[in-house]
Amino acid sequence: MAPALDVRKTTTRLSDGRELIYFDANTQPGREGPGRDAPDRTAPGRDLPDNTAPDRTALGRGAPDRRRLPSAEADCGLRYDPLLAAWVMYSAHRQDRSYLPAAAECPLCPSAVGRQTEIPASDYEVVVFQNRYPALADAAASGGETRGLLGSRAAAGRCEVICFTGEHDASFADLSPQRVRLVTEALIDRTAELSALRGVAQVFCFENRGREIGVTQPHPHGQIYAYPFVTPRTDRMLRSVRAYTRRTGRNLFDDVVAAERAAGARLVRTGRHWVAFVPHAARWPYELHCYPIRRVPDLASLLPAERAELADFQLDLLGRFSRLFAGPAPYVWGWHQAPARVGRDALALHLELFTPRRSDDKLKYLAGSESGMDAFANDIVPEQAAERLRRLG
Amino acid sequence: MAPALDVRKTTTRLSDGRELIYFDANTQPGREGPGRDAPDRTAPGRDLPDNTAPDRTALGRGAPDRRRLPSAEADCGLRYDPLLAAWVMYSAHRQDRSYLPAAAECPLCPSAVGRQTEIPASDYEVVVFQNRYPALADAAASGGETRGLLGSRAAAGRCEVICFTGEHDASFADLSPQRVRLVTEALIDRTAELSALRGVAQVFCFENRGREIGVTQPHPHGQIYAYPFVTPRTDRMLRSVRAYTRRTGRNLFDDVVAAERAAGARLVRTGRHWVAFVPHAARWPYELHCYPIRRVPDLASLLPAERAELADFQLDLLGRFSRLFAGPAPYVWGWHQAPARVGRDALALHLELFTPRRSDDKLKYLAGSESGMDAFANDIVPEQAAERLRRLG
């Protein structure tokens, strides 16, 4: 049986009051060494935070943020669209965020003596911190709270950044399996902590990768959104699941996964605990959905053996994506977990991964039909996408 | 009172069997001359189609397509996503479509002797034809029809292209008011004809403009999709309207428009028959919704005076968009009309126009939160967007 990963968590604050958390794997020497993305630095001891790293120039887990940033006051608000029955997030301050900085100015790299980044330590494994330019934050709503048809309110949520590795030029597909497990443990921790915050309804963990889809920081990182509402996508899935259960007594996710396994033509990988397939009605040129075979509502419900196999799956699937085209494919992956307080017996945890790239030099854009009517057109037939992804294994 | 526009329609077939329709305005000499986008060519006579244009090298409305294209056999299909309760369109042949051709190879320019394009005539005002690379067509579904959880079927719809002018380098904002009226008459004609086709549930008329959003042909043109389903967006709006009517006895569109007019802060232009505003919960950096003050289900229901003022509004609003940034802003506009057979007393005709551009050098991308959860974040507060658009009038 796969052992649970032993994780040490060190919490600190940045100079503007934002929270930052280091996640370190306590490896047992001789059993599981650091991966290629975690060079053989002496890991900080258990009795931290302080500066106990043997290298005297190194900044430890307790190193302070010396930047004296002005206190974080995000101008975030929510507005309700009564026609689409959906909240929209506003964050006027985000227009100023940095855009594709050079590696020497990367704010997500570890700090060095004389160069302070968002992460005060001079190395890290996985680190999470509150986004300096959040789309959601507990702050005054733009224009104040209004009731009635055109309602608005404070954002009452939180946006966090998760860095997967200190290595600026790496990507998720380059991580070691142990590092991927550590990332998952961090996501589990954040999902639990953020779900417990007053007003948070749902937590979404995702990675955007590639400047073609607007990524402003090339350093390998993901994001964690704690929404004060159940998102439109999740609401629609829950609606479908409930209607199906009323009609059949069964869970729709169970039957979709069973139907994909029975059909076989779109399967890309089947493991002992996980299955990955191109969905029958994929919207994107290359899209993969990855489910645990045992239905669970969220990442926290996964057993150690499921978590261990998941790391292999994620690395394998992202590796296939990286080999699809001449250059690295831009992609988005996101974890669909049950909301904090509703649909916990209905929604099935799964990972969705897609690239908008449809060939070496062409992207799928969301134009009139998609942006105006939510009606997707896809040029690549799912069985062909699955066939290509199978061959890239 | 504004006179109705007198339109002459000439229908022909391309060499692969696709339908092509010329729409010409019958102007009365001395009253309303051709706009700057319609150079002073002698208009073809009323008793066409044939080659009666005085220039002997000109190709008239009856000119044949001499290309001998293979017969159009679109490989289109629909698949149902049971979790999102939505159909997705597949069209494997679209991967081959031409991409940003040079002006000399533009397939949407008029033909000339020795160079045959999609439009056989050597000039046109407005022309509509079946898309050579459609997302929807009456053809065998990819993989055939299947029932059950993972359903698929033939596409049973139609995609048409509408060219607004023969001038390759123009844009919609350059058209004359009369030409815009002719475009609207063509959209009305197509909405009626396509809605009458067996299996068509909804017609959507839209324009995508700008390579930033994936437009493959720079020649000024729009598109007309005849869907065999009510789109997810329209379905959601109808659901909201019905719930609101059950609760209040009123129409939600009426009350949203009244609330925007009463609030005033987001109004961009108010006319005698139309009103245009940035919606309270806009999703895009610059977004405008334009409603007739008298609620109607579709374009065909507009009176001549409403149609006349609409042309001014469209030109004015697109002109403001073209002045927002250093370069021309990419944009999408689309007409929300009631579906062919449902919601005709609920849905209010309106135009939605947006640009994903948020500054001279930055675009709004739909990344993790939008593409994964349909939860939109917008960096520009709607009142500020409205203020800028008001000043650009």
Side-chain angles (χ1 to χ4, degrees):
Chain A
M1 201 183 118
L5 195 69
D6 184 16
V7 179
R8 191 163 42 77
K9 201 177 147 185
T10 312
T11 302
T12 182
R13 292 266 173 193
L14 297 176
S15 60
D16 55 4
R18 287 177 294 136
E19 194 174 27
L20 181 143
I21 309 162
Y22 298 98
F23 291 88
D24 293 290
N26 282 327
T27 54
Q28 290 166 335
R31 282 192 54 194
E32 189 171 25
R36 55 161 284 229
D37 55 300
D40 193 12
R41 307 181 184 103
T42 301
R46 281 169 189 270
D47 51 346
L48 292 182
D50 66 4
N51 286 296
T52 56
D55 180 351
R56 310 226 101 223
T57 65
L59 304 162
R61 295 291 175 262
D65 175 10
R66 300 190 189 280
R67 291 175 297 172
R68 305 198 181 181
L69 297 173
S71 74
E73 280 186 27
D75 184 17
C76 294
L78 293 177
R79 297 189 181 199
Y80 191 70
D81 179 339
L83 287 162
L84 298 182
W87 290 98
V88 176
M89 301 169 274
Y90 290 91
S91 41
H93 55 278
R94 278 165 58 91
Q95 276 281 68
D96 306 324
R97 64 192 190 269
S98 64
Y99 184 70
L100 295 173
E105 278 91 52
C106 174
L108 306 186
C109 277
S111 286
V113 173
R115 186 171 105 75
Q116 186 92 42
T117 70
E118 287 279 81
I119 299 97
S122 57
D123 69 69
Y124 61 82
E125 297 185 39
V126 170
V127 66
V128 173
F129 55 95
Q130 285 180 269
N131 196 323
R132 189 170 174 190
Y133 302 101
L136 292 162
D138 269 314
S142 293
E145 177 143 0
T146 59
R147 296 184 175 275
L149 203 54
L150 307 181
S152 60
R153 60 180 170 108
R158 188 153 152 170
C159 289
E160 296 183 338
V161 175
I162 175 167
C163 295
F164 305 137
T165 166
E167 293 191 24
H168 183 81
D169 295 321
S171 72
F172 193 100
D174 299 326
L175 303 179
S176 69
Q178 174 177 303
R179 179 59 57 88
V180 175
R181 287 191 69 184
L182 184 59
V183 168
T184 303
E185 296 303 325
L187 298 180
I188 290 169
D189 176 272
R190 301 320 300 149
T191 300
E193 290 222 344
L194 297 176
S195 294
L197 290 182
R198 193 174 62 85
V200 167
Q202 184 175 6
V203 176
F204 183 44
C205 307
F206 62 97
E207 182 194 2
N208 301 326
R209 178 84 182 168
R211 57 193 301 171
E212 297 95 327
I213 53 168
V215 173
T216 52
Q217 301 291 349
H219 193 110
H221 72 288
Q223 296 185 67
I224 303 165
Y225 273 33
Y227 299 103
F229 49 81
V230 174
T231 64
R233 178 73 57 95
T234 302
D235 182 62
R236 216 172 330 153
M237 289 198 289
L238 287 177
R239 204 187 287 267
S240 299
V241 172
R242 286 175 186 137
Y244 188 80
T245 301
R246 275 196 302 274
R247 209 166 63 239
T248 66
R250 300 182 49 79
N251 180 283
L252 179 58
F253 285 105
D254 288 348
D255 284 5
V256 165
V257 173
E260 290 289 4
R261 295 179 74 189
R266 290 172 297 277
L267 292 177
V268 170
R269 185 170 168 181
T270 307
R272 192 161 165 192
H273 303 288
W274 292 84
V275 59
F277 53 84
V278 179
H280 161 74
R283 302 174 158 216
W284 296 95
Y286 294 90
E287 178 175 345
L288 276 171
H289 291 192
C290 184
Y291 283 80
I293 289 169
R294 181 178 72 95
R295 172 163 53 94
V296 296
D298 55 20
L299 287 167
S301 307
L302 294 173
L303 301 172
E306 292 165 331
R307 298 182 191 196
E309 191 180 276
L310 169 62
D312 288 336
F313 258 71
Q314 282 185 281
L315 289 170
D316 175 51
L317 300 179
L318 281 169
R320 292 177 202 240
F321 262 53
S322 71
R323 292 186 289 277
L324 268 173
F325 304 111
Y331 63 76
V332 178
W333 60 251
W335 277 112
H336 288 261
Q337 303 187 81
R341 275 163 276 275
V342 300
R344 303 210 40 94
D345 58 339
L347 200 128
L349 170 75
H350 67 282
L351 182 75
E352 297 192 4
L353 163 65
F354 73 84
T355 176
R357 188 171 285 291
R358 58 188 176 92
S359 68
D360 281 343
D361 59 353
K362 289 177 193 156
L363 292 177
K364 157 83 187 154
Y365 290 91
L366 301 191
S369 185
E370 288 89 358
S371 65
M373 287 296 176
D374 298 328
F376 277 67
N378 187 351
D379 294 349
I380 299 190
V381 176
E383 291 73 27
Q384 291 167 6
E387 174 61 23
R388 275 211 67 203
L389 288 165
R390 273 196 297 269
R391 284 195 199 155
L392 291 169
Chain B
M1 201 185 117
L5 195 69
D6 185 15
V7 179
R8 191 163 41 77
K9 201 177 146 184
T10 311
T11 301
T12 182
R13 291 267 173 193
L14 297 176
S15 61
D16 55 5
R18 286 177 294 135
E19 195 174 26
L20 181 144
I21 309 164
Y22 299 98
F23 290 87
D24 293 291
N26 281 328
T27 55
Q28 291 166 335
R31 281 191 56 196
E32 190 172 24
R36 55 157 286 227
D37 55 298
D40 193 12
R41 305 182 185 104
T42 300
R46 281 170 190 271
D47 50 347
L48 291 179
D50 68 4
N51 286 298
T52 57
D55 180 352
R56 312 224 100 224
T57 64
L59 304 162
R61 294 294 176 262
D65 175 10
R66 300 190 190 281
R67 290 175 297 173
R68 303 195 181 182
L69 295 173
S71 74
E73 279 185 27
D75 183 18
C76 293
L78 293 178
R79 298 191 180 197
Y80 191 69
D81 179 337
L83 287 162
L84 297 182
W87 290 96
V88 176
M89 301 170 275
Y90 290 90
S91 41
H93 55 279
R94 278 164 58 90
Q95 277 280 68
D96 305 325
R97 64 192 190 270
S98 64
Y99 184 70
L100 294 174
E105 277 92 52
C106 174
L108 306 186
C109 277
S111 286
V113 174
R115 185 171 107 73
Q116 187 92 39
T117 70
E118 286 281 79
I119 299 97
S122 58
D123 69 70
Y124 63 81
E125 296 185 38
V126 170
V127 66
V128 173
F129 55 94
Q130 284 180 270
N131 197 325
R132 190 170 172 190
Y133 303 100
L136 293 161
D138 269 314
S142 293
E145 176 144 0
T146 59
R147 295 183 177 276
L149 203 54
L150 308 181
S152 59
R153 59 179 171 109
R158 187 151 153 170
C159 288
E160 296 183 338
V161 175
I162 175 168
C163 295
F164 305 137
T165 167
E167 293 190 23
H168 183 81
D169 295 321
S171 73
F172 194 101
D174 299 326
L175 302 179
S176 68
Q178 174 177 304
R179 179 60 56 86
V180 176
R181 286 191 70 185
L182 184 59
V183 167
T184 303
E185 297 302 324
L187 298 180
I188 289 169
D189 177 272
R190 302 320 300 149
T191 300
E193 291 220 345
L194 297 177
S195 293
L197 291 181
R198 193 174 62 85
V200 167
Q202 184 175 7
V203 176
F204 183 44
C205 307
F206 62 95
E207 182 193 2
N208 301 326
R209 177 84 183 168
R211 57 193 301 170
E212 298 94 329
I213 53 170
V215 173
T216 52
Q217 301 291 347
H219 193 110
H221 73 287
Q223 296 187 66
I224 303 165
Y225 273 34
Y227 299 103
F229 49 80
V230 173
T231 64
R233 178 72 57 95
T234 301
D235 182 62
R236 216 172 329 153
M237 290 198 288
L238 287 177
R239 204 186 286 266
S240 298
V241 173
R242 285 175 188 138
Y244 188 80
T245 301
R246 275 197 301 275
R247 210 166 62 240
T248 66
R250 301 181 48 80
N251 180 284
L252 179 58
F253 284 105
D254 288 347
D255 285 4
V256 165
V257 173
E260 289 289 4
R261 294 179 75 191
R266 291 173 296 276
L267 292 177
V268 170
R269 184 170 169 183
T270 308
R272 192 162 165 191
H273 303 289
W274 291 84
V275 60
F277 53 83
V278 179
H280 161 75
R283 301 175 160 217
W284 297 94
Y286 293 90
E287 177 175 347
L288 277 171
H289 292 192
C290 185
Y291 283 80
I293 289 170
R294 182 178 71 93
R295 172 164 54 92
V296 296
D298 54 19
L299 287 167
S301 307
L302 293 173
L303 301 173
E306 292 166 332
R307 298 182 192 196
E309 192 180 276
L310 169 61
D312 287 337
F313 258 70
Q314 281 185 281
L315 289 170
D316 176 49
L317 299 179
L318 281 169
R320 292 176 202 241
F321 263 53
S322 70
R323 293 187 289 277
L324 268 173
F325 303 110
Y331 63 76
V332 178
W333 60 252
W335 278 112
H336 287 261
Q337 303 187 84
R341 276 162 276 275
V342 300
R344 307 216 32 100
D345 57 340
L347 199 127
L349 169 76
H350 66 280
L351 182 75
E352 296 191 4
L353 164 66
F354 73 83
T355 176
R357 189 171 283 292
R358 58 188 177 92
S359 68
D360 282 344
D361 58 353
K362 288 175 193 157
L363 293 177
K364 157 82 186 156
Y365 291 90
L366 300 191
S369 185
E370 288 90 359
S371 66
M373 286 296 175
D374 298 328
F376 276 68
N378 187 352
D379 294 349
I380 300 191
V381 177
E383 291 73 28
Q384 291 168 5
E387 173 62 23
R388 275 210 66 202
L389 287 166
R390 275 196 297 269
R391 283 195 199 156
L392 291 168

